Amino acid sequence: MTPGDRRVGPAPADEPGFAEKLGYLFEHSRDENGLPYTGKKIAERANELGYSLSDAYISQLRTGKARTPSFRTVEAIARAFEVSVTYFLANPDEDLDRVRQQRDYVQMLATTGTHLSGIDVRAICPDTIDVLIDLLKVVKAQALENKNAPPDQGTSET
């Protein structure tokens, strides 16, 4: 999957979806002549910026008939309206939390040489990841100690 193929997922029930956010831009944004934008004008602006976008597809996005635009489409619309792509994100804080968790996971890999296969790290809170990193550091240190320790002399109890 290439970055242009990523899809913008549905918004949580309490937040406006893509169609609502797009509709808001059409209602409240004005072109250089003070006129409301049309789908055709936004498509033209996006195409002038090097994207491939049609008025018909914008209409489908506005009405909710098309629900999962690619990131490239979101980028084209955002640039045509001259807003940040983050405007369309359901919850930018959630994305920042995911990036922090991924960073912590990468740190854990670098520090311990261990990975958590089969675990959805996004579901683990950052504090828990910190505890796991510390625990794995201890386990790694003990493993290195045992590896470097002289072999057991075979003491037996009688």
Side-chain angles (χ1 to χ4, degrees), residues 29-140:
S29 299
R30 300 290 181 256
D31 68 11
E32 58 279 354
N33 298 318
L35 299 172
Y37 283 107
T38 63
K40 182 177 181 179
K41 178 73 173 177
I42 291 300
E44 287 173 358
R45 288 185 72 163
N47 292 332
E48 288 169 4
L49 292 168
Y51 299 91
S52 179
L53 195 58
S54 71
D55 177 26
Y57 187 55
I58 291 173
S59 176
Q60 290 176 344
L61 290 169
R62 286 179 76 178
T63 61
K65 289 180 182 173
R67 296 181 183 263
T68 55
S70 69
F71 182 81
R72 183 116 172 111
T73 297
V74 174
E75 181 182 39
I77 293 170
R79 288 201 54 209
F81 274 110
E82 297 180 355
V83 299
S84 171
V85 172
T86 59
Y87 168 79
F88 290 106
L89 296 177
N91 185 348
D93 291 336
E94 186 179 292
D95 290 327
L96 289 174
D97 286 344
R98 188 176 324 114
V99 168
R100 285 185 195 108
Q101 287 177 337
Q102 289 170 347
R103 180 202 63 213
D104 292 344
Y105 184 67
V106 169
Q107 176 189 2
M108 182 184 65
L109 287 172
T111 304
T112 66
T114 307
H115 65 89
L116 302 174
S117 63
I119 295 176
D120 182 5
V121 179
R122 294 173 297 178
I124 301 173
C125 78
D127 291 338
T128 303
I129 290 176
D130 290 340
V131 170
L132 286 171
I133 290 171
D134 291 340
L135 177 62
L136 288 169
K137 286 179 186 177
V138 170
V139 170
K140 182 179 180 183

